[in-house]
Amino acid sequence: MLLSHRRFCERLLDKGDYNLVKQFLDDDSILKRTVEVELGKCRKSLRNINLAVDTLHAVHSRLLRDSPSWPDIYILAMSGQLANSDILETALSSVRKAQSNVMQDVLVSICQNPSLPAEIKSCHESLAGLTEETVTTNPDGLRSGYNIQHSNLRTTVIAQKVELSKHTATLRPEEAAYTKIIDRIDTALKGYFAAGLSNPKDLFLHEICIYDLPSPHRDVLTPRPRFAIERALSSPHDYLGHECCDHTSEGLSAFQSATAILYQLYLESGSLINTADLWSAFWTIVGNEEAEDEDREQQRALALFSRALADLKYLGMVKHSRKKADHLAKLSWKGL
């Protein structure tokens, strides 16, 4: 049973809906219909999360210079941390302090989101009308009551104590109207993000739609070819389904790949490998002393030995030693 399915059943039991949980166990058709319905809800919630991330990124990119990237916002959203993050609070604070001309551009960009509440689009129309009325008197745009230029600190000395008080300047009628529009936008955005930025791991059947394991991506984008090659040569039975490569058999076998046999002998040797000793050990394993034509059998084994040694050279594991002409220099060690 999936963890989200177990939690879904536990929530039903907490609500006292025992019959539905019992039906899940007794009737597969009811379980199938419920899964289909809830799976659609899960996909819809994930789409809403993506749209909310797009909206938040659009607000950040147009109001702030050092805005976070879309992947950073998406990662926070999929981990369930974006709803209570500083990124969201900073965006909403910037919306409240934005001038009308900047806010107009923000609304144009985010109103393309089909999941936004109708209140946002209504605010966009109200702001467009207010901007047209005040464009001659305020060509640089209107400032809301939350703008820092509309508030200042006053210093008062009482009984040799300094007290600071925040004073808000009186707003002009058009600025007061713009502040009301900003309040509506702020309330609508808070409700939109609160509803859209749910925790994906709280969704029923989220395991089917998303996964958070880094290993699949890491194995594809940053593969480890050396580890795979060493493992294939050390344990050929993991890759070959032949009975001759049975991992239960101990030691080396003549039925194994010649390169795998030579690699095992290579691991047991030191930094300098005597080619004659390596051939003798290889012939001991693969040679057939009962063969009718021993010379032909030895030539066959020598061909396998030469090919396996060429494979190790191609993989960069050995090279000819300059110290001794009949020796090979070991270039790599397993796991290092």
Side-chain angles (χ1 to χ4, degrees), residues 3-4 25 58 63 72 95 123 149 171 232 248 252 266 304 315:
L3 180 60
S4 62
L25 301 175
L63 294 181
D72 292 337
V95 167
C123 292
Q149 295 188 7
L171 301 177
T248 57
L252 296 174
Y266 161 86
L304 294 175
L315 295 173

Side-chain angles (χ1 to χ4, degrees), residues 1 5-28 30-31 34 204:
M1 179 183 292
H5 188 195
R6 184 187 308 169
R7 292 175 178 173
F8 180 73
C9 294
E10 290 175 353
R11 288 195 294 267
L12 292 176
L13 293 176
D14 293 338
K15 295 178 182 179
D17 198 349
Y18 305 103
N19 292 330
L20 183 57
V21 177
K22 187 175 183 299
Q23 290 174 354
F24 287 163
L25 301 175
D26 298 337
D27 193 342
D28 291 339
I30 296 179
L31 178 61
T34 304
F204 180 38

Side-chain angles (χ1 to χ4, degrees), residues 67-87:
S67 60
S69 63
W70 191 94
D72 292 337
I73 301 177
Y74 179 78
I75 291 173
L76 285 176
M78 298 307 290
S79 62
Q81 301 176 5
L82 185 58
N84 299 319
S85 66
D86 294 336
I87 293 178

Side-chain angles (χ1 to χ4, degrees), residues 155-299:
T155 305
T156 307
V157 180
I158 301 176
Q160 298 181 352
K161 293 182 179 180
V162 179
E163 295 182 357
L164 296 177
S165 59
K166 190 174 182 179
H167 175 72
T168 303
T170 303
L171 301 177
R172 293 176 296 172
E174 60 270 19
E175 292 176 339
Y178 175 59
T179 302
K180 291 182 180 179
I181 295 177
I182 287 295
D183 290 336
R184 292 168 55 194
I185 295 174
D186 180 64
T187 302
L189 286 178
K190 285 181 178 178
Y192 169 71
F193 287 125
L197 294 176
S198 58
N199 190 346
K201 293 184 179 180
D202 292 339
L203 300 175
F204 180 38
L205 301 177
H206 71 269
E207 297 92 344
I208 300 177
C209 301
I210 59 175
Y211 69 93
D212 58 355
L213 295 177
S215 56
H217 284 164
R218 184 175 61 242
D219 293 342
V220 173
L221 301 178
T222 57
R224 296 180 295 170
R226 177 175 174 176
F227 170 77
I229 292 173
E230 290 179 346
R231 184 169 179 267
L233 294 176
S234 301
S235 306
H237 53 267
D238 292 342
Y239 296 85
L240 304 176
H242 301 163
E243 296 180 357
C244 59
C245 298
D246 188 7
H247 66 279
T248 57
S249 58
E250 298 181 357
L252 296 174
S253 171
F255 297 101
Q256 295 180 357
S257 169
T259 307
I261 296 173
L262 199 61
Y263 179 73
Q264 294 293 333
L265 299 175
Y266 161 86
L267 294 178
E268 298 173 0
S269 61
S271 57
L272 285 178
I273 307 173
N274 190 312
T275 308
D277 294 341
L278 188 63
W279 157 248
S280 299
F282 183 82
W283 167 250
T284 303
I285 298 172
V286 303
N288 184 8
E289 298 179 354
E290 299 179 358
E292 297 180 358
D293 192 347
E294 185 175 351
D295 292 338
R296 187 174 181 179
E297 178 67 16
Q298 191 170 9
Q299 290 179 0

